[in-house]
Amino acid sequence: MDLFDTPGTLVPIPIMDGELALLPQLALPLSNAAILARLLAETPWRAESVVVYGKRHLQPRLTAWYGDASYTYSGLRLEPLPWTALLLELRAAVEAACGHRFNSVLLNRYRNERDSMGMHSDDEAELGDDPVIASLSYGTARTFVLRHKNNKQTVRLPLEDGSLLLMSGQLQKHWLHGINKSTRSLGERVNCTFRYIV
Ligand SMILES: O=C(O)CCC(=O)C(=O)O
Ligand SMILES: [Mn+2]
């Protein structure tokens, strides 16, 4: 059976030590292009700086944090912006597709091929044990790289325009993930990671 035979259903991707599932296209009454345009226009995008190994760096992407609670990572405390109508609509569709509730969302904007996200796990204490994280992507597809912390097994998944990736189980405990820079010229991508802050 092809992935596209089951619209509306998350398809499990079998990996060890964690759960991963992909929905190639989240159904919404708006087009992917319209959602991307609104996310780009309506978000107060910021270039945040973070401290890595004692040195302050600008993150190689733009971000915005929405939701009901503040969030701290890499020494950076993010105060939440209030939910917008669009983000509430996206959240409702994501919750319906996943069967999980989310109370916050981190938006990441990759402006071009030079923007990236280093390998990390979403394992902050405020996400609780075995967090469920839903990652919704719009715009240019980028390759999502997962690397097992012990055996270094690597999984590469292209995250296409309109796709929804669900990470759960022990995935954050055992795997790192990130988005590499590319040598090919690439257009804008916005990724929304829905989370539940305990
Ligand atoms: O852009 C992506 O697909 C990954 C985002 C991510 O890992 C995060 O926000 O923690
Ligand atoms: Mn992450």
Side-chain angles (χ1 to χ4, degrees):
M1 188 175 64
D2 189 78
L3 277 182
F4 296 91
D5 290 344
T6 54
T9 312
L10 280 152
V11 179
I13 298 169
I15 58 165
M16 65 172 79
D17 296 337
E19 283 165 41
L20 203 56
L22 184 68
L23 177 61
Q25 174 67 61
L26 180 68
L28 279 154
L30 295 165
S31 69
N32 291 340
I35 294 170
L36 176 65
R38 280 184 59 185
L39 289 170
L40 289 173
E42 294 177 4
T43 310
W45 294 106
R46 290 173 56 122
E48 300 282 1
S49 64
V50 288
V51 177
V52 182
Y53 298 119
K55 237 186 111 193
R56 190 162 283 279
H57 295 272
L58 269 192
Q59 287 183 326
R61 63 187 172 278
L62 303 180
T63 58
W65 173 250
Y66 288 84
D68 310 331
S70 66
Y71 187 54
T72 307
Y73 72 99
S74 302
L76 178 69
R77 183 181 165 89
L78 299 175
E79 290 305 329
L81 293 158
W83 289 97
T84 64
L86 175 62
L87 289 173
L88 287 172
E89 195 172 341
L90 297 181
R91 177 173 72 165
V94 167
E95 288 181 339
C98 301
H100 291 277
R101 318 266 326 164
F102 302 100
N103 61 8
S104 45
V105 62
L106 177 65
L107 269 52
N108 292 297
R109 175 175 176 186
Y110 302 81
R111 291 158 289 187
N112 54 44
E113 66 283 359
R114 292 184 299 279
D115 277 354
S116 61
M117 182 174 292
M119 298 300 284
H120 67 281
S121 302
D122 293 304
D123 56 2
E124 289 79 16
E126 58 259 63
L127 294 172
D129 281 341
D130 299 338
V132 177
I133 298 176
S135 167
L136 180 61
S137 296
Y138 289 102
T140 304
R142 297 289 294 256
T143 304
F144 186 78
V145 181
L146 289 133
R147 199 170 62 233
H148 195 281
K149 291 182 187 176
N150 296 329
N151 65 21
K152 310 295 178 206
Q153 188 189 337
T154 302
V155 176
R156 287 188 177 80
L157 282 177
L159 294 184
E160 303 285 348
D161 188 26
S163 68
L164 178 68
L165 179 74
L166 187 68
M167 298 185 273
S168 60
Q170 298 213 318
L171 194 88
Q172 305 301 331
K173 213 167 271 160
H174 297 293
W175 294 80
L176 301 167
H177 61 265
I179 302 280
N180 292 337
K181 296 183 197 308
S182 170
T183 50
R184 259 188 328 126
S185 161
L186 296 175
E188 295 255 21
R189 167 175 185 258
V190 173
N191 171 264
C192 312
T193 54
F194 291 87
R195 298 147 192 259
Y196 191 89
I197 304 293
V198 181

